[in-house]
Amino acid sequence: MGERMPVEEHARFVRSLLAPLGARPSEVVALADALGRITASPVESPLDLPPFRNSQMDGFAVRAADVADAPVVLPISGEVAAAPGAPAALAAGTAVRIMTGAPVPDGADAVVPVEDTEPDGDGVRILRARAAGEYVREAGSDLAAGDDVLPAGVRLAPRHLAAAAASGLTRLLVRERVRVAVVSTGSELVAPGEPLGPGEIPDANGVALEAAVRAAGAVVVHAGRVRDDVDGLRAELDAAVAAGAELILTSGGISQGAYEVVRELLEPLGAWVGSVAMQPGGPQATAVYRGVPVIGFPGNPVSAQLSFALFVAPTLRAVAGLPPPRAERMPLAEPVRSIPGRRQYLRGRRTDDGRALPVGGPGSHLVAALAASDLLIVVPEAVEALDAGEPVDTVDL
Amino acid sequence: MGERMPVEEHARFVRSLLAPLGARPSEVVALADALGRITASPVESPLDLPPFRNSQMDGFAVRAADVADAPVVLPISGEVAAAPGAPAALAAGTAVRIMTGAPVPDGADAVVPVEDTEPDGDGVRILRARAAGEYVREAGSDLAAGDDVLPAGVRLAPRHLAAAAASGLTRLLVRERVRVAVVSTGSELVAPGEPLGPGEIPDANGVALEAAVRAAGAVVVHAGRVRDDVDGLRAELDAAVAAGAELILTSGGISQGAYEVVRELLEPLGAWVGSVAMQPGGPQATAVYRGVPVIGFPGNPVSAQLSFALFVAPTLRAVAGLPPPRAERMPLAEPVRSIPGRRQYLRGRRTDDGRALPVGGPGSHLVAALAASDLLIVVPEAVEALDAGEPVDTVDL
C-alpha cells in the first residue's frame, strides 16, 4: 500500500483539482428564485431610489417659509395620496394634506407631521415650524439611478431582493451552481427499503452524499448505484459527464480488496488510489475522467460523509458563498486514545458546559453514532492519548 | 394616535398570536426530500446496524485460537466479498480471505488485516496474533433493531439521512412547514419591472417578504398585491385562508393617513392598529381574520423587513429548528443620535476591526443601504446619543 499520504497534502491536491470550479459561468434567474444565489456581477439600479421626492410622514406639505412663525393657520389647497398621478404644485401660503410615501408637490419643501397640527375650520393650524427638507425624502437620496444597488459576489438574502425589487428589477445574473454527480459502488448495496438478502446492506451513501452536495450549495445532476462491475461504473461515469457534471463523487471500490471497481477502472487512466493518514476515511482516490474531476471516497457512510466534509465541502461552500463550519478549541470531556501516525476524527457532542464528548468510538461503521454527533474532534497524528480536560480542535458537523 | 406600545410588549403579543403554530401537524416525506426538515417523532431502526457481523478490514478471517502462536501458516479455504450471499462456515485451522464489509463466516472470530500477512505458497502466513473480536464489527454494535436511530425534533442534516438510509428507511415523518400568505397593499405599487407612472413605485415587499418567509423555514402558500381597496384586500385574505395559510403577513395600509386599507378592513373586526415605540417600523398591526393570525407591517420595505425579523422570524425559525441570528455587543465605529422614547434599529456593518458602523442613516426608505448592511444596531429607548467606542447590542441580518 506504500506510505500513507498526509491529510493536508491530500486536501491540497483535491483543492487544486476543484479550483477550476471557482470560475463560475453565469445564468439569469427570476428574483423569486434568487434567494441564496450569488450575484455574478455588480447590479445597477435603473431607478433613483426613491424614484421621486416623497413624504416621510402623514401630514401637510408646506413651504418652510410659510410656517416659520408657527403657530400659523394655512388653508388646505389639496390632498396627495400614495397613489398614481402627479400632484399639482403647491400654491404659496397654503398646505396640502399628504400621506406617507406620496409625491411632495412642486413648491413644497417641508412636511409637517399630522401630530404637529390641529384642524382649524377648513384649514389647518401648524403648531411647529419645520426647516426646508424636513420629512421630505429626495429622489435618489438612497441611491442614484445607474449606481450599483448590489455588488458582485453577494449571497442574496431577502434584504438584497428588497433592494433589487425596489429598483424595478425582475431578474438577476447569478453564478451557476456547481453540477455534481454521485455514484455509489458495491455489489452488497441495495436501494434503501428493498428487502435485504444475506450479505446485503442498504445504500446509505447515495441519499446522504446527494444531501451533502445540496447542503454545500451545489446541485446533483446525476446519481447512480453500481455493483462491482467495471463496465457498469464506466456507464455511470459516462452518464454523469453527459449530464454536465463538473465533479463526480464516488463511494466504495478503492481499498485493498480483490473487488475494487473504482480502482480497477480509474487506476489505468492515471488515478491516484491510496491511503491517507487519517481515520476514518483512510482510503481515498482522485482522478480525472473525460476531463471531469473524480473524488473517490471509501464506501463506509461515516468515512464518506467525513471525507466529503474535509476535502470537498470547503471548496463547494466557498463557491456558494457559504461560511465554513464553526471550528473551536474546547476541553475534552473524556480521555481518548488514538493510533499514532494517523489523524483521528472522532465524532462527538458539545456538552452543556462546553466540552467535547466523544460519541460511539472510532469505528467507521458507526453511522447511528455519527447521526447522534454534532462535531468532529480532531486528534493530531503524533498523539496517542489525551486526558479529559485537555484542549482539542473541533469542527461543527 | 395614543401612546406608543413598547417594543417588547408588541413582540410578546405577536409571539402569543403565533404560539399555536408551534404545534405542527406531521407529514411523510421521502428521504431525498427530507434535508432541513424536522423529525416529528423518534425514528426506529427496523435493522440492526450493522445488519450482520462483518469485517472492518481487507484481510483474513480466522479463529483467534489458530493464530495465537503467530507467525503461523494457514491454508486458505475460501474468499468472502462484500456481496450478496452467506459465506460457508470457517473450517478450523484455515483462513478465509475477506474484504472490508463482507460477512464474517461462522466459526471465525477475528480478522487479520492484509498488512499483517504474507503469501505462503497456496496459504497465508499470519504474522501477528489477534484476539477474538479484533477487526470484527458485530451485528447491532452501532444500534440494535428497534432502537431509535433519530430522535424527535432533529433538523435533518446529511448525516441523519445517512443513518436513516443505512437503517433501510425510505421515508420520514416530519413536521409540516408553516404555511404563510404575503399580501402587499398600496395603490402606488406596481409589479417590479413594469413601467412606472408618476407617483408609482415597484412593490418590493412581495418578493422580499416571500423570500424572508422561506429563509425562516416556512412556505408561501399565497401571495398577492392590492390597491387601497377594502374589497380587494378582503378577497386576498379570503384567498389566503382558502390556500390554507396559517399566518398572513400584510405590508402597508396601517398608518395615520386617509387611505389605510388594512386598518379600514380589520379594525372593525377587532384588529389592533397602532404605533410601536421603535424606528423604523413604528406602525404595526395585529388581527385575526377568519381564525388566521394577521401581522400587519408598514409598507416601507426597510420597515417591513425589520418588522419581520423582529416579530415574526423568531417564531418561524424556532418552529423550523433554525438558530436565532447572532447577537453581539460591540463598540460603535461612529457617534449616533437617536429619538428619545423609541428604540432605534440602525442598519450597519461590522468593520474589519469588529466595530459597528452605521450605514445610510435612520430613514426607513433607505432600502439600498439596508442591502449594504449586515447587522442591526440597537439604540435603546432612553438613549439620545452615543459616542464612537460605546458598546451597543447588534443582531446579524
Side-chain angles (χ1 to χ4, degrees), chain B residues 49-61:
Chain B
L49 291 180
F52 50 84
R53 198 167 73 129
N54 71 87
S55 177
Q56 188 178 336
M57 300 291 278
D58 297 321
F60 290 87

Side-chain angles (χ1 to χ4, degrees), chain A residues 265-294:
Chain A
L265 175 65
L266 296 179
E267 242 179 11
L269 305 176
W272 175 83
V273 183
S275 189
V276 172
M278 61 189 280
Q279 192 185 41
Q284 296 287 341
T286 49
V288 176
Y289 183 84
R290 296 179 55 196
V292 178
V294 180

Side-chain angles (χ1 to χ4, degrees), chain A residues 1 4 31-35 47 49-52 54 56-58 79-86 97 99-101 103 114-115 137-138 141-143 149-150 154 157-170 186-188 191-194 196-205 207-215 227-228 255-260 279 300-301 305 342 363-375 397, chain B residues 1 4 31-35 47 49-52 54 56-58 79-86 97 99-101 103 114-115 137-138 141-143 149-150 154 157-170 186-188 191-194 196-205 207-215 227-228 255-260 279 300-301 305 342 363-375 397:
Chain A
M1 125 173 3
R4 288 200 171 82
L31 233 47
D33 302 321
L35 184 66
L47 302 179
L49 290 179
F52 50 83
N54 70 87
Q56 187 178 337
M57 300 291 280
D58 297 321
E79 180 177 286
V80 201
R97 191 187 304 273
M99 310 309 157
T100 304
V114 69
E115 299 92 309
R137 302 162 173 164
E138 294 297 333
S141 54
D142 185 18
L143 192 83
V149 63
L150 299 173
V154 72
R159 67 186 183 281
H160 303 115
L161 303 182
S167 302
L169 299 169
T170 57
S187 294
E188 75 278 24
E194 282 181 22
L196 296 181
E200 293 181 332
I201 57 171
D203 171 24
N205 282 324
V207 71
L209 282 176
E210 286 182 53
V213 165
R214 288 201 300 273
R227 305 178 74 78
D228 295 326
S255 68
Q256 302 301 310
Y259 310 95
E260 303 295 343
Q279 192 185 41
N300 207 292
Q305 286 294 311
R342 294 199 226 171
S364 65
H365 63 298
L366 301 173
V367 65
L370 172 67
S373 300
D374 55 25
L375 48 77
L397 281 169
Chain B
M1 128 172 2
R4 287 201 171 81
L31 234 47
D33 301 322
L35 183 67
L47 301 179
L49 291 180
F52 50 84
N54 71 87
Q56 188 178 336
M57 300 291 278
D58 297 321
E79 179 177 286
V80 201
R97 193 186 303 272
M99 312 307 158
T100 305
V114 69
E115 300 93 310
R137 302 163 174 162
E138 294 297 333
S141 54
D142 185 18
L143 192 83
V149 63
L150 300 174
V154 72
R159 67 186 184 281
H160 303 115
L161 302 181
S167 303
L169 299 169
T170 57
S187 295
E188 74 278 24
E194 281 182 22
L196 297 181
E200 292 181 332
I201 57 171
D203 170 25
N205 282 324
V207 70
L209 282 175
E210 286 181 54
V213 165
R214 288 201 301 273
R227 306 179 73 78
D228 294 324
S255 67
Q256 303 300 311
Y259 310 96
E260 303 294 343
Q279 192 187 39
N300 207 291
Q305 285 294 310
R342 294 198 225 172
S364 64
H365 63 297
L366 301 173
V367 66
L370 172 67
S373 300
D374 55 25
L375 48 76
L397 280 168

Side-chain angles (χ1 to χ4, degrees), chain A residues 329-338 344 346 358 377-380 382-393:
Chain A
R329 211 164 158 77
M330 62 180 84
L332 265 177
E334 279 181 2
V336 300
R337 303 195 60 77
S338 186
Q344 281 274 352
L346 296 171
I377 300 170
V378 187
V379 184
V383 172
E384 283 188 67
L386 289 168
D387 285 333
E390 290 202 62
V392 285
D393 287 322

Side-chain angles (χ1 to χ4, degrees), chain B residues 52 74 81 85 107 184 203 221 329 347 350 359 364 369 385:
Chain B
F52 50 84
L74 298 179
S184 306
D203 170 25
V221 294
R329 210 163 159 77
R347 280 72 70 200
R350 186 188 316 264
V359 171
S364 64

Side-chain angles (χ1 to χ4, degrees), chain B residues 40-77:
Chain B
S41 58
V43 179
E44 261 185 40
S45 174
L47 301 179
D48 279 333
L49 291 180
F52 50 84
R53 198 167 73 129
N54 71 87
S55 177
Q56 188 178 336
M57 300 291 278
D58 297 321
F60 290 87
V62 297
R63 301 203 311 191
D66 291 340
V67 301
D69 298 325
V72 61
V73 176
L74 298 179
I76 300 174
S77 58

